[in-house]
Amino acid sequence: MRLSSLHRLSGAVLALAFLAGACAPAAAPAPSAPTPAAPAATAAPRPTAVPTAPSAPATAASPTPRPPTSAPAPVPAAGGAQPTSGGILNVAHFEDPPNYDIAEQTSVSSLAPLRNVYDGLVKYHYKNHGEVVPELAESWEVNGDGTVYTFRLRKGVTWHDGKPFTSEDVVYSLSRMARPQEFKTISPRGEALLAAMSKAEAVDASTVRVTLKFSSASFLRGMATDNILMMPKHTLLANNGDMKRVVNGTGPFTWARHDRDVSIQMKKNPNYWDKGLPYMDGLTFFIIRDDNTRFAAFRAGRVRITTIASRALSPTQADTVRTEMASTVTLAEHPALARTVFFMNMTRDPWKDVRVRQAVQLALDRQNMLKAGGGGGVIGAALNPQGVWGLTPDDLIKLPGYRPDKTQDIAAAKKLLADAGYGKGAKTVMLNRIGGSGRLGPVIKQQLAEVGIDVQLDLQEQGPAFDRLNNKTFDSAWWGLAEPMDDPDPTFAALYVTDGSRNFGSFSDKQIDAMYDQQTRTLDIAKRKEIVRNMQLRIIELGGYIVSYWDLYYRAWWKEVRDYEPGNGLYDNLKMDKVWISR
C-alpha cells in the first residue's frame, strides 16, 4: 500500500488491514520494495561476528584530539553496489512515542523515529562506530587543557519550517538539556551527558563555544550519541518551551503524519543540508504492540526491518530467522548497553533500611531471570559487563547474590529482613510497564516471595509509568534502562549521584558522590577503572538499584535493505539517511 493510499484511510481501518494482513500473507499489500522470494528452509550457521564495543578513551596527553574537518568518505555498499534512490521503508515499531520532546524522552519508542527528523552537532560514524564525525558542526577545536570546545556550524542549514539554523538554536538546546530545571522541563539523558558543561555561548551566527567545568574524557563521545540533538529555539519559544506535540527538525526526513496505534509516516526532506541524502523517499514506522504479530508481519515482508530494543526479536525468533530466512534476511546480534533494574524508593519504608535492600540484592536469582527472559544477555551489575568498565561475570559470581546456588543467599536475606524488623514479611507495590522488560514482573514477584517480600504488580503503559518514575510517586519499580554509550559518566551521573536525573528512588551516598567526581576528572584509564570498580562494589554493598542482567539484542532486516548496521547500544546509528533499498 503506497503512502498516498495510507493518507486516505482512517487509523482504525489501516490498523485492522495491516494486522490482519500480517497473519494472512496472501492478502498483503505490496511492500515499498520488490517482494522477495519465499523464505528458504535451509539452515544458516549462527553468525560469530558481533559489532565491536567502543574502545576505551585514548590516554594521550591531549585529552581530546582535533577532529576531522569533514566526515569520512562513505563506505562502499556490500559487493560494490552503488546506492539508489527511492522507495519507502516499512519499519516495525513497538509503541507510540509518549510525546515528541526529544530532550525529555529517553525511550527508543521516541528516539528511533525522531532521530530521523533531528540532527546533532556531532555523531558516531554510521559504519565505523566509536569514531566521532561532524554533523551540524562541520568542524570543532579544543583548547590545550580540554575545557573549551569551539564548534563551527554548517551554513545554509534550515529547519523544516524554512527558518535558518543558527548558533542560538545550539546554545538554547544545550542549555535546556544541561539545566532543565531552569527551563521548567526535564532532560533525564541530556542532563547526565552534559554534566561537565558549564556554559554554551554564541560567538557569532555560525560559531558556538562550550566551556566545561573540567576536562572530561567522555564529553565529546556523549555529544555524539543520538540523545544530544538540536531543537529550534523559535519553535520552543512559540510553544512556551513545550515541543511535546510539535516536530520541527533539520534532519533527512520530515514528519508527515502520526496515527496513534497505527503508524508514523515521514517523507524525504528535499532541502536536507547533506546533498544527495537521504536515499529513500520516506519511512513508515508501523505501531504493532504484540510481539508475535509484529514478528509475523516481518516474516510476511510487510515490514522490512524489525523494531529495536527488547521488543525486536526474542532468541527463539532469532533462531527462526537463522533457520528459515537465511537467504532473504540479515540477522545481527549486538550488545544493547541495556539492562533491567529493580528500583526502590528509598524515601519510603521498607527501603529506607539498607538491610532490606541488601536482602533483595541477595534474593534475586539472576541466572533464573536470564533463562526466563529467553537467554539473551550477560549477568552484570551497575555497568555493562560486555564493555570496558563493568564488573565481569567472573568477578560477580564470587559475590553474594550472584552465586548460582541460592541456598546461602536466601537464608542470609531472611535473616537481614528479620534483623530489620520484617521477620513476618514485607510488602511492596512494584510499578511494572506493560510488555518489554515488564514481562519479568511475575518472576520477580515469585523470587522475592521466597524470602518473605510480598510483591503486588502495578502494570502501566509506558507514558504514565515513566511519569511516575520521574515524579518519584512509586514504591518499587522493575524498569528497563539503556545507556547511550559504554562510559561510567552517564550511568553514574543519572542513577547513582545524589541529584542524578534518573535517580528515581533517591539513592544517596556521599562516598559515591565523591568517587564520581574523582573518576570523571581522571584521564588516566587505569586509575579511572580502579575508582569505577570500587564504585560498583560499594553500590552492591549498599543495596543500590539492583541490576538483573545486561541484554544482547537481535535485529533483522530483509536483504534489499542496504547499508543498515546496528550501532553500539540503542542510542547510536538510529538515523537512516544512508540506508537505501535495492531494486
Side-chain angles (χ1 to χ4, degrees):
M1 186 173 290
R2 298 189 182 277
L3 190 60
S4 59
S5 300
L6 288 173
H7 282 290
R8 291 194 293 268
L9 290 174
S10 70
V13 172
L14 178 58
L16 289 172
F18 182 83
L19 295 181
C23 300
S32 57
T35 304
T42 56
R46 186 182 297 266
T48 56
V50 177
T52 306
S55 58
T59 56
S62 177
T64 42
R66 183 182 298 272
T69 56
S70 60
V75 177
Q82 292 301 310
T84 57
S85 296
I88 295 173
L89 179 61
N90 290 344
V91 183
H93 203 50
F94 60 97
E95 67 183 4
D96 292 283
N99 65 57
Y100 306 144
D101 190 331
I102 52 174
E104 176 180 312
Q105 293 301 313
T106 61
S107 171
V108 288
S109 64
S110 297
L111 286 175
L114 287 165
R115 178 59 174 101
N116 291 285
V117 176
Y118 290 95
D119 292 317
L121 286 185
V122 294
K123 64 179 180 179
Y124 288 114
H125 189 272
Y126 82 112
K127 289 281 188 179
N128 303 323
H129 302 306
E131 179 184 1
V132 178
V133 297
E135 194 164 33
L136 289 174
E138 62 182 4
S139 66
W140 62 94
E141 301 165 359
V142 189
N143 73 339
D145 66 0
T147 59
V148 179
Y149 286 73
T150 303
F151 294 94
R152 314 287 180 185
L153 307 183
R154 296 184 190 277
K155 297 179 181 178
V157 177
T158 59
W159 296 99
H160 293 164
D161 65 2
K163 301 287 187 182
F165 163 75
T166 73
S167 57
E168 293 293 335
D169 297 306
V170 176
V171 170
Y172 197 87
S173 296
L174 293 178
S175 301
R176 183 174 182 260
M177 284 185 279
R179 303 191 303 275
Q181 297 84 0
E182 179 182 323
F183 291 81
K184 297 180 181 179
T185 185
I186 61 172
S187 178
R189 188 80 69 188
E191 188 177 6
L193 289 168
L194 299 174
M197 190 182 95
S198 174
K199 61 182 177 178
E201 304 168 281
V203 177
D204 56 43
S206 58
T207 309
V208 173
R209 181 168 55 237
V210 177
T211 303
L212 305 186
K213 302 169 189 173
F214 49 83
S215 182
S216 167
S218 67
F219 172 73
L220 190 63
R221 294 173 60 232
M223 287 280 287
T225 70
D226 285 348
N227 293 100
I228 307 300
L229 305 176
M230 299 300 104
M231 301 181 74
K233 179 180 179 179
H234 66 279
T235 307
L236 279 160
L237 294 179
N239 289 275
N240 297 315
D242 184 344
M243 283 194 70
K244 294 180 181 179
R245 297 170 184 83
V246 183
V247 179
N248 182 25
T250 60
F253 295 94
T254 63
W255 199 261
R257 180 177 179 135
H258 178 193
D259 294 312
R260 298 199 70 83
D261 287 321
V262 180
S263 67
I264 297 167
Q265 298 167 39
M266 303 176 201
K267 59 184 179 180
K268 180 176 184 173
N269 177 11
N271 301 312
Y272 189 46
W273 55 265
D274 200 346
K275 302 305 178 186
L277 296 178
Y279 294 118
M280 296 182 291
D281 291 333
L283 298 169
T284 300
F285 287 77
F286 282 100
I287 313 299
I288 312 173
R289 292 179 179 270
D290 180 75
D291 296 347
N292 292 325
T293 304
R294 194 168 53 250
F295 184 50
F298 175 71
R299 294 185 72 185
R302 300 176 185 284
V303 291
R304 312 306 268 186
I305 184 169
T306 64
T307 190
I308 200 166
S310 60
R311 307 297 293 277
L313 292 174
S314 69
T316 300
Q317 290 171 340
D319 283 337
T320 298
V321 171
R322 286 190 190 98
T323 57
E324 297 180 12
M325 306 179 73
S327 66
T328 53
V329 167
T330 300
L331 175 69
E333 175 187 279
H334 63 104
L337 297 184
R339 74 290 196 202
T340 310
V341 182
F342 186 76
F343 284 99
M344 298 152 283
N345 191 333
M346 299 177 196
T347 66
R348 301 184 180 185
D349 292 324
W351 310 119
K352 292 178 182 177
D353 195 313
V354 65
R355 292 169 294 187
V356 179
R357 305 197 302 268
Q358 289 171 337
V360 175
Q361 166 72 28
L362 290 167
L364 292 180
D365 185 340
R366 293 157 177 83
Q367 283 83 3
N368 180 264
M369 288 185 212
L370 188 57
K371 183 178 179 181
V378 179
I379 291 171
L383 296 177
N384 175 30
Q386 305 161 95
V388 175
W389 305 96
L391 297 173
T392 68
D394 287 343
D395 293 327
L396 293 169
I397 203 167
K398 305 167 188 174
L399 300 177
Y402 294 90
R403 298 173 291 205
D405 185 346
K406 298 299 294 181
T407 305
Q408 289 178 269
D409 291 340
I410 295 296
K414 289 180 177 179
K415 183 178 186 308
L416 283 167
L417 285 170
D419 291 345
Y422 294 96
K424 294 183 179 180
K427 294 184 178 181
T428 185
V429 177
M430 188 175 78
L431 182 64
N432 203 198
R433 62 180 166 186
I434 297 170
S437 59
R439 290 172 293 189
L440 282 180
V443 177
I444 309 308
K445 177 181 176 69
Q446 180 182 6
Q447 290 184 3
L448 293 185
E450 291 187 39
V451 298
I453 300 176
D454 178 33
V455 176
Q456 177 185 334
L457 299 180
D458 181 10
L459 296 173
Q460 300 286 336
E461 293 286 352
Q462 159 97 0
F466 190 56
D467 287 343
R468 285 178 56 189
L469 277 180
N470 277 312
N471 296 329
K472 302 186 178 184
T473 54
F474 70 97
D475 184 42
S476 62
W478 181 248
W479 199 262
L481 294 175
E483 293 304 325
M485 61 180 179
D486 182 30
D487 188 276
D489 276 355
T491 303
F492 289 147
L495 267 70
Y496 298 106
V497 169
T498 295
D499 296 322
S501 58
R502 298 207 293 177
N503 189 347
F504 303 126
S506 299
F507 174 82
S508 181
D509 178 64
K510 290 181 179 179
Q511 188 172 334
I512 289 291
D513 290 349
M515 294 168 82
Y516 166 76
D517 288 340
Q518 183 184 6
Q519 66 82 30
T520 196
R521 290 167 168 79
T522 301
L523 300 181
D524 183 284
I525 298 303
K527 292 179 180 178
R528 189 180 182 210
K529 287 182 76 171
E530 184 61 25
I531 301 167
V532 167
R533 175 183 174 82
N534 290 333
M535 287 183 72
Q536 293 175 83
L537 292 172
R538 181 157 179 81
I539 288 167
I540 292 172
E541 176 189 346
L542 295 174
Y545 305 136
I546 297 166
V547 175
S548 56
Y549 58 87
W550 289 73
D551 293 299
L552 286 172
Y553 283 170
Y554 304 89
R555 198 174 199 191
W557 55 97
W558 288 77
K559 288 188 175 179
E560 76 269 13
V561 178
R562 308 293 289 273
D563 273 349
Y564 173 77
E565 182 180 332
N568 288 314
L570 302 184
Y571 302 107
D572 171 15
N573 209 25
L574 292 173
K575 190 177 182 183
M576 293 189 177
D577 58 327
K578 293 183 175 66
V579 175
W580 56 284
I581 301 172
S582 64
R583 298 175 177 274

